[in-house]
Amino acid sequence: ESPLLVGETPEGTPVEVGGTSAGEPTLIAFLAHWCPHCQAELPVLVDLEDRGAFEGVRTVAVLTGTDEAAPNFPPAEWLQDEGWSGDVLVDDETMTAAAAYGLAGYPFLVMVDADGRVVARTSGELPAEDVVALVEAGLAAGPRLAMVDSDRGITNLHVPSDVIVDASMPAMIRTPGHM
């Protein structure tokens, strides 16, 4: 079961994310405005949304790790400038929302199925096809999935998972026995 996040949008409107009453598949993107990987990932997410890759999926950006002295502050303006059309929840100063979902690094993507179960999560910048695979895992509501990339040191092995997909596997298949 996914944690229920209760908070506010940048405008102060109440917003809820996750929990057992989610009712719809949800992609949650934990983003830090100062993070170069988040700055690279956000346009990928916006492009996928624009191309319809998230049809039937609620998208939520959780703005966390906010630093007034860092680039792209305030983060809500950064999202708007990049064309983010999903919902937004502002995490508190102690990063309660990030901690509830086990933030392991930035960006941190979590896919929650319609029943409110976390079915996939990953930490680190992903190419578009890996983001689509993460979303499809939530739509299929199959086994719990963890995306890892041993080539880049992203393990996610601390996450309870039924299936672990290693993004470095295609490289191993192309060059048998070599990673």
Side-chain angles (χ1 to χ4, degrees), residues 37-120:
H37 301 288
C38 297
Q39 293 167 15
E41 190 77 20
L42 183 57
V44 171
L45 296 174
V46 169
D47 181 59
L48 287 169
E49 176 75 32
D50 290 347
R51 292 189 291 143
F54 303 149
E55 187 174 336
V57 175
R58 179 184 181 202
T59 55
V60 181
V62 177
L63 299 175
T64 189
T66 302
D67 180 354
E68 291 181 17
N72 292 324
F73 186 85
E77 288 182 15
W78 167 57
L79 288 182
Q80 184 177 0
D81 291 346
E82 291 291 338
W84 179 258
S85 61
D87 294 332
V88 179
L89 182 140
V90 178
D91 203 355
D92 60 26
E93 289 181 11
T94 61
M95 298 174 50
T96 302
Y101 275 85
L103 178 80
Y106 295 112
F108 189 65
L109 302 180
V110 178
M111 188 64 201
V112 177
D113 71 8
D115 295 325
R117 293 182 311 143
V118 173
V119 294

